[in-house]
Amino acid sequence: MKIPTKLTNELRQQLIHKAMEARKLAYAPYSNYPVGAALLTTSGKIYTGVNVENAAYPTGTCAERVAVFKAVSEGEREFIAIAVVTGNGGTPCGACRQVMAEFGLDLSVLIADGEGKLRQEATLADLLPGAFRPGDMRK
Ligand code: THU
């Protein structure tokens, strides 16, 4: 059963807190730019992610994608919001925007800095105009 969850300020704070906690587990020895993410699904669960780098640089991946892939691999498809925490309030990369867009453009993206300050809040539709989506595969 789908439990609709409204994005309240309390939830916003909870997501940012979880992303900050997750960020401590980031594996970023090459960039020294740890990132944490926390993704809220319509089932009410929160999936975290961190960036995981690799000595073969391009094989590393971003925190947002780890969170989305964890959620999808647990059967989740509907997402409400994602908090992304970086040291300087950096925004999600294009590849992560595309991965998130697969599951809906209404997603709220909360961008916070290392102190947990919300720097920006936008929908994915705002962050990725003209996204290539599943319907675009049809003739
Ligand atoms: N990174 C993320 O985890 N998410 C983003 O949206 C931007 C970049 C990671 C990738 C790499 O491990 C480090 O930050 C520097 O680019």
Side-chain angles (χ1 to χ4, degrees), residues 20 43 46-47 49 51 57 59 79 86 103 110 139:
M20 285 174 77
S43 67
I46 295 173
Y47 295 82
N51 51 337
Y57 287 9
T59 58
F79 308 136
T86 62
F103 301 100
L110 314 177
K139 281 189 188 151

Side-chain angles (χ1 to χ4, degrees), residues 83-120:
V84 183
V85 172
T86 62
N88 62 353
T91 65
C93 80
C96 288
R97 293 177 196 209
Q98 182 62 38
V99 165
M100 294 188 285
E102 180 73 14
F103 301 100
L105 296 176
D106 291 337
L107 182 76
S108 292
V109 182
L110 314 177
I111 297 163
D113 63 24
E115 273 72 55
K117 185 178 185 309
L118 181 61
R119 294 276 197 97
Q120 192 188 339

Side-chain angles (χ1 to χ4, degrees), residues 46-68:
I46 295 173
Y47 295 82
T48 59
V50 299
N51 51 337
V52 182
E53 298 184 348
N54 192 279
Y57 287 9
T59 58
T61 193
C62 293
E64 299 90 319
R65 271 178 278 170
V66 170
V68 169

